[in-house]
Amino acid sequence: MTEAASFAPTAGALTAPPIARRMACWLYEGMLMFGVVFIAGYLFSTLTQTRHALDNRHMQQAFLFVVFGIYFTWFWAKGQTLAMKTWNIRVVDRQGRPITQARALGRYVLSWLWFLPPLAVGGAFSLPGGELTVIVIGWVAIWAVLSRFHPQRQFLHDALAGTRLVHFKPPQPVKVQKNAA
């Protein structure tokens, strides 16, 4: 039986982790994604023989979108990404069961609500990088604070996807003591 399948929720197990821990996990996930971007970018550049960073930029962005989708869908369907394991957070459905790959994919698409609105504003008004950064950080802060108004303290994309983040501390292995004869 897999770890995700062995997760049996209790009423107390469905409590959302504090916002500070979820955001720390979110930042850690972002740092881990640098490795995914590096490997995927190298693979893309090698396969397409791209010699300049701006060549095939949109095709590379689409490729990374797919790679990120595979990464998150795979790990969320298993219950946790590496960052989520580190911060004792698990993604489950509304009833506390492991999510399917289809639901994980839906959550991935909806999670882009963290970035698409400020990026659309930046593109529409041709904002420079510094101003766009401030808008993105402001939007992320607003998005995170809005979870305080949800009855289960979940992010909006989780509510829309039918998922929830819960505190999950894996059980400690039982140590077997040898009897002295």
Side-chain angles (χ1 to χ4, degrees):
M1 183 165 26
T2 65
E3 180 185 344
S6 67
F7 176 61
T10 62
L14 295 179
T15 58
I19 188 74
R21 194 168 64 172
R22 287 185 284 166
M23 293 310 294
C25 178
W26 187 81
L27 288 172
Y28 183 41
E29 195 77 68
M31 290 190 314
L32 294 176
M33 293 310 292
F34 276 111
V36 175
V37 168
F38 178 78
I39 292 169
Y42 178 76
L43 178 65
F44 178 85
S45 297
T46 302
L47 292 174
T48 61
Q49 296 297 306
T50 301
R51 301 283 185 235
H52 189 274
L54 295 179
D55 291 343
N56 298 325
R57 181 172 55 128
H58 297 298
M59 200 162 81
Q60 185 175 24
Q61 289 171 342
F63 179 74
L64 288 174
F65 179 81
V66 170
V67 169
F68 288 173
I70 292 168
Y71 172 86
F72 284 112
T73 300
W74 172 268
F75 282 107
W76 286 339
K78 301 277 185 206
Q80 298 171 298
T81 62
L82 177 60
M84 293 168 82
K85 283 183 181 184
T86 302
W87 288 94
N88 297 321
I89 297 172
R90 181 178 286 274
V91 62
V92 295
D93 69 7
R94 286 188 178 118
Q95 290 75 34
R97 297 182 306 246
I99 62 174
T100 63
Q101 284 190 338
R103 188 170 298 253
L105 181 60
R107 183 178 193 264
Y108 169 71
V109 171
L110 288 168
S111 71
W112 279 93
L113 290 173
W114 283 90
F115 296 107
L116 288 182
L119 292 177
V121 167
F125 294 104
S126 301
L127 297 177
E131 291 177 15
L132 183 59
T133 301
V134 170
I135 290 174
V136 169
I137 290 171
W139 178 258
V140 166
I142 290 168
W143 188 263
V145 170
L146 285 176
S147 71
R148 305 273 302 158
F149 299 106
H150 189 272
Q152 287 88 33
R153 303 275 197 232
Q154 297 299 321
F155 294 125
L156 180 59
H157 71 280
D158 280 314
L160 294 173
T163 59
R164 59 193 309 177
L165 293 177
V166 297
H167 172 75
F168 176 74
K169 185 79 172 172
Q172 298 297 322
V174 179
K175 295 182 180 180
V176 178
Q177 296 180 357
K178 295 180 182 179
N179 293 335

